[in-house]
Amino acid sequence: MSRILTTHVGSLPRPDSLLAANAKAAHMPREEFTAYLDEAVADVVKRQHDLGIDIVNDGEYGHIMKEVTNYGSWWFYSFGRLGGLDFSDQALHDGVTTGGGAVELASFNERRDWVKFRDAYTNPESGIHQAKKQEGTMPTIVDAVTYTGAADAQRDVDLTLRALKANSLEAKDGFIAALSPGSAARINNAYYKTEDEIVYAMADALHEEYKIITDAGLTVQIDDPSLAEGWDQVNPEPPVDDYRRWVEVRIDAINYALRGIDPAQVRLHVCWGSWHGPHTTDIPFIDIVDKVLKVDARGISFEAANVRHAHEWKIWREVALPEDKILIPGMVSHSTNVVEHPELVADRIKQFTDIVGQDRVIASTDCGLGGRIWPSIAWAKLEALAEGARIASK
């Protein structure tokens, strides 16, 4: 490559018109909602392209989000695309019941970081968005999981391809995010006997979504925060080896779900969660990176800009990057409202390119920006990302 390419993790700020349409989507004719979505996707692809982002997406606009601040649309969208689920009045963060195993996830409110800083997490004046509990219910698996979202997935693909073409871009220049089996499995269960059964049932179902995306020539981004974030949700802290085995099951399930799909059309996103908290109980990336590199994906996307993980670029001095892989590190972060200076972005990019080479790094964001920071700030961060990549390329 003659220059360093740029992308982002997926979610982008929704325009007010789309937020309003999302709030009414359940009572709106499908054609009418698709028209809103079509216009919004066309605009968001053009905006990314105009800013200088090379590998773009639909902003995850097909994953319904009803509020400007929303940390869960990357996951919650799957509830409407999976059969075998039943919704109760159990609150979203009240618990996760799985099938058992050496590593057991606690409830969201019993995360070790949330317990350690309970005073901050429960006070709306602390600035931690999760201090305000998001509305929603956690579904329960009551029957064999199936995939029922083919029409929605195909709609997202078609709108993305149309927007790419309007900007003289090809399918290879676009990606669509989809949930991983491991993250999808973090819901209540009253049907499967073991946790592994849940994970593989989700892999079978989500395989269909991955195929719809990649059959169209687009790249599928597998969103799997559970690989790193799950560590904090095990209370008390487990032995690292036990957790590594837990992670390996989820990597194997991703590969099973990707069967028959070209790894060149796949990228995996790993993160430690989008909430704006202390994150003092995050697992170091070095403890699981060898497992992550076993996934059948060309691109590995991960947080590298937020202040809890910005130092971890140094692990690539000792971890050999397989020849068939590229790094997609975050150069700007969703965890701060401060917009990174382009020179800092360039410096961060150079930390990686000096180790693995310029042709094996695509500059990205730490996580999805939509719903995590204010829209105007999110777009300013993408502008800084693109400018930083131009500086680094020189």
Side-chain angles (χ1 to χ4, degrees), residues 34-308:
T34 299
Y36 277 105
L37 200 56
D38 189 11
E39 180 180 359
V41 170
D43 288 344
V44 78
V45 169
K46 183 178 188 304
R47 190 165 187 179
Q48 292 169 72
H49 183 56
D50 289 349
L51 281 177
I53 303 301
D54 298 292
I55 304 169
V56 303
N57 79 329
D58 62 345
E60 289 186 25
Y61 284 5
H63 300 175
I64 288 180
M65 191 172 88
K66 301 176 183 179
E67 314 88 3
V68 173
T69 301
N70 183 310
Y71 288 76
S73 60
W74 66 275
W75 175 25
F76 301 160
Y77 89 94
S78 69
F79 299 167
R81 298 190 185 186
L82 295 172
L85 308 184
D86 179 56
F87 289 83
S88 68
D89 59 356
Q90 186 172 8
L92 183 62
H93 294 310
D94 278 357
V96 176
T97 305
T98 61
V103 171
E104 274 290 324
L105 298 182
S107 71
F108 283 87
N109 283 332
E110 293 306 311
R111 288 183 179 279
R112 284 179 279 119
D113 199 60
W114 294 21
V115 171
K116 185 176 181 180
F117 298 96
R118 182 78 74 191
D119 58 331
Y121 278 104
T122 56
N123 191 331
E125 295 183 5
S126 70
I128 298 176
H129 290 175
Q130 274 73 7
K132 179 182 178 182
K133 195 171 186 179
Q134 290 187 340
E135 297 296 326
T137 57
M138 177 69 73
T140 299
I141 303 172
V142 296
D143 205 344
V145 171
T146 59
Y147 187 68
T148 61
D152 287 340
Q154 190 63 55
R155 175 204 63 199
D156 295 345
V157 163
D158 292 343
L159 297 185
T160 301
L161 290 174
R162 184 182 305 171
L164 289 170
K165 185 176 180 180
N167 289 276
S168 301
L169 298 172
E170 300 176 23
K172 65 179 180 60
D173 301 313
F175 73 96
I176 289 182
L179 190 63
S180 72
S183 285
R186 295 192 301 176
I187 59 177
N188 301 305
N189 167 55
Y191 180 78
Y192 292 102
K193 293 180 180 180
T194 69
E195 189 172 62
D196 289 1
E197 286 183 23
I198 304 171
V199 174
Y200 274 87
M202 292 298 183
D204 264 326
L206 290 167
H207 169 74
E208 298 186 39
E209 182 157 289
Y210 304 165
K211 280 284 289 177
I212 291 170
I213 295 168
T214 55
D215 282 352
L218 295 162
T219 292
V220 62
Q221 175 180 289
I222 310 296
D223 284 335
D224 202 345
S226 74
L227 297 174
E229 180 195 342
W231 170 259
D232 178 57
Q233 202 181 333
V234 185
N235 195 354
E237 179 181 309
V240 173
D241 284 346
D242 285 353
Y243 187 74
R244 281 169 53 80
R245 284 189 287 270
W246 186 86
V247 166
E248 189 159 23
V249 169
R250 280 142 187 80
I251 293 293
D252 290 344
I254 293 173
N255 288 340
Y256 173 69
L258 288 170
R259 60 194 184 278
I261 294 174
D262 184 355
Q265 287 182 263
V266 183
R267 61 195 220 185
L268 172 69
H269 173 62
V270 179
C271 76
W272 285 261
S274 293
W275 72 87
H276 297 184
H279 283 270
T280 59
T281 54
D282 285 1
I283 193 169
F285 198 22
I286 191 67
D287 285 348
I288 61 170
V289 69
D290 60 324
K291 303 295 184 184
V292 169
L293 289 173
K294 290 182 177 180
V295 75
D296 292 334
R298 179 169 182 262
I300 306 297
S301 161
F302 53 94
E303 295 186 59
N306 87 62
V307 294
R308 196 67 194 177

